[in-house]
Amino acid sequence: ILALINVVFGYFTLPESLPEERRRPVAPSDANPFASLLRVANFPALLPLMIGLFITATSQRGLEAVWVLYTDFRFGWGIREAAWSLGFVGVCYFIVQGFLVGPVVKALGEWRTVIYGFGIGSIAFLLTGIADRGWMMYPMVMLYALGNGLGVPALTAICSKTVEEDRQGQLQGVLQSINAVAVIIGPAAASLLLSHVSSANPLFDLPGAWFLLGAVTCAIASALAIRANSRLTLNT
């Protein structure tokens, strides 16, 4: 119902911002996320940022998929505890993206917001992976929501400002395709890894393995943002 409301609202209230003479025809194949993903080659200057977006999105989608299972296995949480924690996630993202993104970007600039945001996300993942008490999850959720909630919107804005007007739709298709593939890979990989570390005879004694992997991916994304910034600065 909410998705339908979004469609109706968008159709009647959001005007097309691109002049008619600069629009491109839409083909049915454009709805294929894998086909759209191939168009990443059309934006070579943004490739580091897109790689960073993909690996961090994969980590986040995996986190979301195993959160309830992990907190049950690690801390003995039941449905009530898991529900409260996920509700807290929503509140944190509402505050960060509703009230903090604008002022932070204005103060730091988009590039530093991306770099610092993913850096904060890396720290949050690391601390989540080594936490051994359930209450510790709440400050870690706040920290991760702050980093990811700032980094991803700033990254998207940078991509949009770097691309010509008549390629904005194509860019958004690529970004959505990156997220779509992350939705496929992240939950599968995180579930598989959790099954190996939570069994009676685990392959290795590292319960928070997925979160530690997420710390690495966020650190890499931050480094890729630094590289992309340097490359785009040199080109301009």
Side-chain angles (χ1 to χ4, degrees):
I1 292 174
L2 289 174
L4 179 60
I5 292 173
N6 271 336
V7 171
V8 174
F9 176 81
Y11 182 83
F12 287 105
T13 63
L14 297 179
E16 172 59 63
S17 58
L18 197 63
E20 187 171 356
E21 65 274 10
R22 306 192 70 175
R23 299 176 193 175
R24 297 186 179 189
V26 178
S29 61
D30 293 335
N32 183 342
F34 294 99
S36 297
L37 193 61
L38 296 178
R39 298 191 181 95
V40 71
N42 295 334
F43 309 102
L46 297 177
L47 185 59
L49 288 178
M50 292 181 176
I51 294 174
L53 177 63
F54 171 69
I55 60 178
T56 54
T58 300
S59 298
Q60 184 178 1
R61 298 291 90 80
L63 179 156
E64 294 167 355
V66 301
W67 179 260
V68 175
L69 297 173
Y70 175 78
T71 53
D72 178 24
F73 156 67
R74 185 72 166 146
F75 310 117
W77 282 9
I79 294 175
R80 182 183 299 274
E81 293 85 356
W84 276 111
S85 69
L86 292 173
F88 185 67
V89 171
V91 171
C92 289
Y93 269 95
F94 172 76
I95 294 173
V96 172
Q97 296 193 332
F99 301 99
L100 296 183
V101 172
V104 171
V105 169
K106 184 177 180 180
L108 298 179
E110 288 166 342
W111 281 104
R112 281 193 289 180
T113 300
V114 173
I115 294 167
Y116 295 160
F118 287 141
I120 293 171
S122 178
I123 295 172
F125 261 125
L126 174 63
L127 295 178
T128 302
I130 63 178
D132 58 1
R133 296 288 187 276
W135 64 266
M136 297 178 180
M137 293 294 101
Y138 282 87
M140 295 309 102
V141 164
M142 294 174 60
L143 194 62
Y144 181 75
L146 177 65
N148 191 69
L150 292 174
V152 172
L155 183 151
T156 304
I158 290 171
C159 291
S160 180
K161 290 180 179 178
T162 306
V163 172
E164 298 86 352
E165 285 187 4
D166 61 345
R167 302 177 74 187
Q168 291 294 326
Q170 190 178 82
L171 170 67
Q172 295 306 316
V174 170
L175 296 179
Q176 291 301 318
S177 295
I178 289 173
N179 279 297
V181 175
V183 168
I184 297 171
I185 297 176
S191 300
L192 182 63
L193 184 56
L194 181 62
S195 71
H196 286 306
V197 300
S198 63
S199 63
N201 297 302
L203 292 179
F204 45 88
D205 187 19
L206 198 61
W210 182 257
F211 301 96
L212 299 180
L213 181 61
V216 174
T217 61
C218 285
I220 292 173
S222 185
L224 288 170
I226 295 174
R227 179 181 179 184
N229 185 23
S230 300
R231 178 181 296 180
L232 289 173
T233 301
L234 288 174
N235 289 341
T236 55

